[in-house]
Amino acid sequence: MDLILEGMKKAFWLLFTFDPEVLSILLLSLRVSATATLISLLIGITSGVAIALYRFRGRAMVVSLINTGMGLPPVVVGLFVTIFLWRNGPLGFLGILYTPMAMIIAQALIATPIVMGITLAAIQHLPEKLRLQILALGATRLQMVWLLIKEAKLPLLAAVMAGFGGVISEVGASMMVGGNIKGYTRVLTTATVMETSRGNFDMAIALGIILLLFAYFINLILTHIQQREGLR
Amino acid sequence: MDEGCGVRMNRMGSVPILEVRKLKVKKGAVTILSVPSFQIEEGEILSLIGPNGSGKTTLLQTLSFLLNPFQGEIFFRGRKVGVDYPVLDYRRKLAFVFQEPLLFDTSVFNNVASGLKIRGIKRGEIERRVEENLKRFGIEHLRDRSSKTLSGGEAQRVSLARAFAIQPDLLLMDEPFASLDPPTRESLIEDLASILQQTRTTVILATHDRLEALRLSHRLAVIKEGEILQTGPPEEVVNRPIDEWVASFVGTETILKGRVIRKEGGTFLVAVGGHEIEVVGEAMLGEWVILCIRPETVTLSISTMKETTSARNLFIGRIEGIQPMGFYQKVQLHCGFPLVAYVTRPSMENLSLKVGKEVWASFKATSIHVIRQKDRERAVE
């Protein structure tokens, strides 16, 4: 019990004195996960909409692959990104293994199928005739897609939450492709793993609390937007 | 001969706003719509009437290029759409109102403005047109409401206002009143009728409700199983249907088949169910014809005083059924052949009509519409 109480005390101390190391870890976590989420939104929403609107051969297989991808284990992603970026790997010449860039790539790969799957479901859920109505209003294809995305904004907000929540809290891929290098690729999750294994529970608890608070605040904001929109 | 001269004119010398030639839509190997020729003039309100599944929706969606692909040609103001006239530009001349309001999840104002925003119209102009149409449809008070909070009737008004805000050259409506309850529907039809009179918008209205069509349109087109059977002014289609099916669809209750047995100057006699019915018109001796007797033209009485009526056709019949139909009662008789009459409630009481009673039924020889074999052959011009 003492251990936890001590840990909590230390944690709050670290938090409220804005410990520079903790701060830099937090900022890196944010930068990597936000960038990865943005990339996944760009790819996920466009391809999700395209797959929802067009009928093509092998579509059913693509859809089931996306659905499987929504539950992609981060360690598997980490493994493949590592292999690709390995010095002798196909993309080894880039020399980005164990950099924040590698972590962004891995996290984007984890979040993209989540965003894609939710987008696909959201667009397909809109009434079939709405598409015809939008075209009949004189919309170009691009205007139609934009209006459909606007119509599906609530589920798409859920996609943002799910994507960001998924990557900020994953540890396997970040550890494997980032390497948990102090001051360079150390993020909240990898630091927590390391401090715990070292027995520095105070630091681990502090990082854990930050992670929790952080996930909570992001979701609070998004939920607020969603509820307000939903009630209008 | 008129190929290649670009713009095609009709008999009156003006260019129809829309013309369709050899239109065919297939679903797999089955042809679900076939319209050899079809035109609509500027300012005309045409109702496309037919039962559910007759191809009304398919035709409207094909006309607005929402349903690809199809065979045939569509000309807008004489220019071939997709060739001389880009599809997007053409679509921006149209407005389409569906049975469901299909509103966007935003305010009423933004909904009515949506067609204008898509066209990149300036803000001031958008505001002016939106306000104008909100007022026109009596929904100014809903301006800032979310579309989600509207009733069915309000939502359909918003949908119509959105269409009118576009100021379309051609307005297509697909059963716009079908999912509204009767009072809501009545008031909307009434408002729409007066708005259309004001704006003089060219309209194609698809409906399965002939009364709705009769109230709003200048011309009817009866469609069945993907083919237009008859087009013409409402009086013409109602009083001179081209065949039994059209007759019954436009509300002719009595449709009899018989053979011409005698001819006398200008009239002829048709044998039906052991009786002879006199008809004014032309027919050949021995020819099989179909007689259409509209229920409003049949008069009932309890005495046989000949002088009370100039009608030559007088039959005694037994009342087999009476059904209320709003202002009228529908009386089904058997006079050796079935005959239906509409009787007003007051005269119902005067004559004290009831099931089983025998009454005299009369109708004029001039009010019978005759369908001959050769009429059916020149069905749609």
Side-chain angles (χ1 to χ4, degrees):
Chain A
M1 233 21 225
D2 259 12
L3 189 71
I4 299 176
L5 278 177
E6 273 307 303
M8 296 284 260
K9 260 203 266 176
K10 180 79 187 291
F12 280 103
W13 175 252
L14 285 170
L15 281 177
F16 291 110
T17 54
F18 295 103
D19 182 83
E21 200 190 339
V22 173
L23 210 63
S24 83
I25 290 174
L26 173 63
L27 289 178
L28 183 69
S29 276
L30 260 181
R31 218 182 74 208
V32 169
S33 294
T35 315
T37 307
L38 257 164
I39 294 170
S40 74
L41 287 177
L42 284 178
I43 303 172
I45 290 180
T46 44
S47 55
V49 170
I51 295 164
L53 295 184
Y54 295 96
R55 301 280 167 269
F56 51 88
R57 273 169 77 105
R59 186 175 178 276
M61 207 175 80
V62 172
V63 173
S64 65
L65 277 176
I66 293 169
N67 288 332
T68 312
M70 289 176 80
L72 212 56
V75 279
V76 177
V77 176
L79 170 65
F80 280 99
V81 174
T82 308
I83 293 172
F84 269 81
L85 297 181
W86 199 252
R87 204 182 302 135
N88 300 324
L91 299 174
F93 63 91
L94 294 174
I96 54 169
L97 191 59
Y98 306 126
T99 64
M101 180 60 87
M103 296 162 77
I104 290 172
I105 292 172
Q107 292 196 354
L109 282 174
I110 295 166
T112 300
I114 298 175
V115 175
M116 220 190 264
I118 297 177
T119 306
L120 179 64
I123 298 290
Q124 277 181 337
H125 194 70
L126 296 172
E128 175 89 31
K129 276 190 174 172
L130 186 66
R131 227 177 74 218
L132 298 181
Q133 175 70 80
I134 293 173
L135 287 176
L137 279 169
T140 60
R141 291 231 154 250
L142 218 61
Q143 284 175 324
M144 177 187 79
V145 167
W146 174 239
L147 285 167
L148 287 175
I149 289 175
K150 264 171 69 180
E151 271 311 281
K153 60 186 173 240
L154 293 185
L156 290 183
L157 214 52
V160 178
M161 288 194 237
F164 185 77
V167 293
I168 190 112
S169 59
E170 78 67 40
V171 59
S174 295
M175 187 69 103
M176 291 162 86
V177 306
N180 192 29
I181 301 164
K182 185 176 178 182
Y184 186 49
T185 60
R186 185 165 296 170
V187 288
L188 286 170
T189 51
T190 57
T192 310
V193 170
M194 185 194 68
E195 300 293 353
T196 308
S197 65
R198 278 185 182 167
N200 292 339
F201 292 118
D202 46 2
M203 187 67 172
I205 291 173
L207 293 169
I209 288 173
I210 295 173
L211 190 59
L212 270 176
L213 281 178
F214 203 70
Y216 176 71
F217 276 117
I218 295 282
N219 277 295
L220 194 69
I221 295 165
L222 293 177
T223 310
H224 182 71
I225 300 172
Q226 192 179 44
Q227 290 305 309
R228 203 191 56 203
E229 288 286 329
L231 286 175
R232 254 201 320 117
Chain B
M1 61 175 183
D2 45 30
E3 305 295 324
C5 71
V7 173
R8 279 168 49 98
M9 293 190 203
N10 62 6
R11 271 170 264 136
M12 336 265 278
S14 65
V15 184
I17 188 162
L18 192 74
E19 187 190 349
V20 167
R21 272 190 279 167
K22 300 194 189 90
L23 185 72
K24 235 180 205 159
V25 179
K26 289 185 174 173
K27 198 172 194 175
V30 189
T31 302
I32 55 168
L33 185 72
S34 173
V35 181
S37 138
F38 174 79
Q39 293 188 351
I40 181 156
E41 304 296 330
E42 188 95 50
E44 194 179 22
I45 301 175
L46 176 119
S47 282
L48 202 56
I49 59 171
N52 294 329
S54 55
K56 303 186 295 287
T57 299
T58 309
L59 179 54
L60 288 191
Q61 293 191 355
T62 305
L63 289 182
S64 42
F65 280 74
L66 294 176
L67 200 79
N68 289 318
F70 62 88
Q71 295 169 21
E73 300 164 305
I74 295 174
F75 294 84
F76 179 71
R77 297 193 188 284
R79 292 203 277 167
K80 188 172 167 180
V81 181
V83 179
D84 312 320
Y85 207 105
V87 173
L88 184 67
D89 292 356
Y90 166 67
R91 235 193 236 136
R92 288 188 172 181
K93 297 282 180 194
L94 312 180
F96 201 119
V97 177
F98 290 79
Q99 178 174 342
E100 306 84 0
L102 296 169
L103 299 180
F104 297 112
D105 180 14
T106 172
S107 69
V108 167
F109 181 94
N110 284 338
N111 265 289
V112 178
S114 57
L116 305 174
K117 281 185 187 158
I118 284 169
R119 284 164 180 72
I121 287 169
K122 293 218 175 63
R123 204 157 170 179
E125 173 71 2
I126 288 181
E127 270 188 32
R128 195 188 62 72
R129 286 213 223 165
V130 172
E131 302 294 345
E132 177 191 34
N133 284 287
L134 287 175
K135 205 164 169 188
R136 194 172 256 167
F137 284 93
I139 46 174
E140 308 106 297
H141 59 291
L142 302 175
R143 189 182 186 278
D144 299 315
R145 280 264 289 278
S146 154
S147 67
K148 276 191 172 166
T149 63
L150 304 176
S151 70
E154 289 169 341
Q156 197 60 303
R157 279 174 188 267
V158 174
S159 177
L160 281 161
R162 171 171 68 182
F164 275 84
I166 290 168
Q167 297 180 348
D169 285 23
L170 175 62
L171 173 63
L172 305 170
M173 295 193 276
D174 190 4
E175 300 270 13
F177 316 112
S179 40
L180 303 178
D181 54 74
T184 312
R185 181 192 170 109
E186 275 305 299
S187 75
L188 187 51
I189 294 178
E190 205 166 289
D191 289 356
L192 184 65
S194 72
I195 290 166
L196 285 173
Q197 217 163 33
Q198 243 178 55
T199 58
R200 309 211 166 271
T201 311
T202 312
V203 177
I204 305 180
L205 167 75
T207 176
H208 66 273
D209 184 338
R210 63 192 150 84
L211 295 177
E212 195 174 294
L214 290 174
R215 270 173 70 178
L216 290 168
S217 43
H218 305 135
R219 193 154 64 100
L220 300 182
V222 185
I223 184 168
K224 180 197 172 194
E225 287 164 13
E227 284 180 48
I228 295 179
L229 298 181
Q230 185 174 8
T231 61
E235 327 73 78
E236 186 184 304
V237 176
V238 169
N239 296 320
R240 294 197 295 283
I242 207 91
D243 65 16
E244 306 100 286
W245 190 88
V246 175
S248 105
F249 192 75
V250 297
T252 308
E253 299 274 5
T254 307
I255 299 168
L256 304 166
K257 196 170 181 185
R259 199 170 200 153
V260 179
I261 50 165
R262 200 140 47 81
K263 283 184 68 167
E264 355 180 303
T267 68
F268 57 89
L269 288 170
V270 179
V272 178
H275 292 278
E276 289 174 8
I277 297 177
E278 185 180 17
V279 184
V280 171
E282 276 303 312
M284 284 191 307
L285 212 58
E287 183 183 347
W288 282 95
V289 291
I290 290 157
L291 305 180
C292 301
I293 306 167
R294 292 199 62 87
E296 311 87 78
T297 64
V298 179
T299 345
L300 301 184
S301 59
I302 19 184
S303 60
T304 67
M305 287 188 292
K306 281 262 176 186
E307 2 4 310
T308 58
T309 169
S310 64
R312 284 280 299 274
N313 293 305
L314 185 65
F315 303 97
I316 189 157
R318 229 173 71 91
I319 300 179
E320 300 210 307
I322 299 175
Q323 289 152 24
M325 290 196 40
F327 182 65
Y328 289 109
Q329 302 269 70
K330 174 177 164 180
V331 179
Q332 289 167 300
L333 296 166
H334 194 83
C335 318
F337 54 86
L339 185 66
V340 174
Y342 286 173
V343 183
T344 59
R345 281 176 186 276
S347 45
M348 239 4 239
E349 281 159 23
N350 278 346
L351 300 171
S352 60
L353 299 181
K354 58 178 189 286
V355 176
K357 188 166 177 166
E358 297 220 314
V359 288
W360 289 92
S362 63
F363 47 90
K364 288 182 187 164
T366 49
S367 63
I368 303 169
H369 169 61
V370 187
I371 297 170
R372 302 175 65 186
Q373 198 58 45
K374 69 177 183 58
D375 292 334
R376 283 199 264 180
E377 279 153 15
R378 55 162 184 85
V380 184
E381 64 146 3

